[in-house]
Amino acid sequence: MTKKRPGTIYGRRLREARESYGFSQENLGIATGLDESGAGGRVSRYETGAHQPKLGMQQLFAEALALPLAYFYIEDDEAARLIANSARSDKPVQLRIEIENRRKRK
C-alpha cells in the first residue's frame, strides 16, 4: 500500500511530527480523544488534506505531540526542523507507550 502524500502544509507537518514520535495514525487520534473506531481514518484525512481540523483539534494534536501550533504551518523545512528539535520532549513517547499498553490489555 502506498501512502497518500499530504495535500497541505498542515497535513505534511502533522505526519512528520506523528512519525517522528512513532505514533500510528490511530494512536495519535486516540491520544487527542477521538473515538478508537474512527481515529486512524480521521487523522489520515487530516494528513492528506481531505479535511482540515478545527482549531481546537489542532491544539490537541499540538499538545499530544508537544509542539507549538505554529510548527504545523511553517513552510520552511529548516525552520520547522529547528522548532521541532527545540521542542523535542519525552512526553509524546510516554503517551504513545501508555496508549499502546492500554490497548494491549483490552
Side-chain angles (χ1 to χ4, degrees):
M1 182 171 100
T2 59
K3 280 190 205 176
K4 191 170 180 187
R5 290 180 50 96
T8 63
I9 192 66
Y10 180 87
R12 186 168 138 220
R13 296 286 178 234
L14 181 61
R15 178 175 286 167
E16 290 168 353
R18 176 182 61 77
E19 290 178 344
S20 78
Y21 283 112
F23 274 98
S24 66
Q25 289 174 328
E26 184 175 27
N27 284 348
L28 179 58
I30 292 167
T32 62
L34 295 175
D35 184 75
E36 277 188 47
S37 64
R42 282 198 44 198
V43 172
S44 174
R45 287 187 293 279
Y46 296 147
E47 289 182 356
T48 61
H51 295 286
Q52 181 71 17
K54 292 184 179 180
L55 180 58
M57 180 56 66
Q58 292 175 18
Q59 291 169 326
L60 291 172
F61 283 129
E63 185 178 313
L65 294 164
L67 288 165
L69 192 55
Y71 163 83
F72 296 92
Y73 289 96
I74 291 203
E75 293 193 21
D76 181 86
D77 289 338
E78 182 61 20
R81 186 186 62 75
L82 290 171
I83 289 172
N85 286 344
S86 69
R88 197 80 187 160
S89 169
D90 288 338
K91 288 180 183 179
V93 175
Q94 293 167 351
L95 178 59
R96 177 183 51 83
I97 291 168
E98 198 177 290
I99 290 168
E100 289 169 355
N101 287 338
R102 238 187 344 223
R103 295 187 78 214
K104 283 178 188 174
R105 288 190 293 261
K106 283 186 175 182

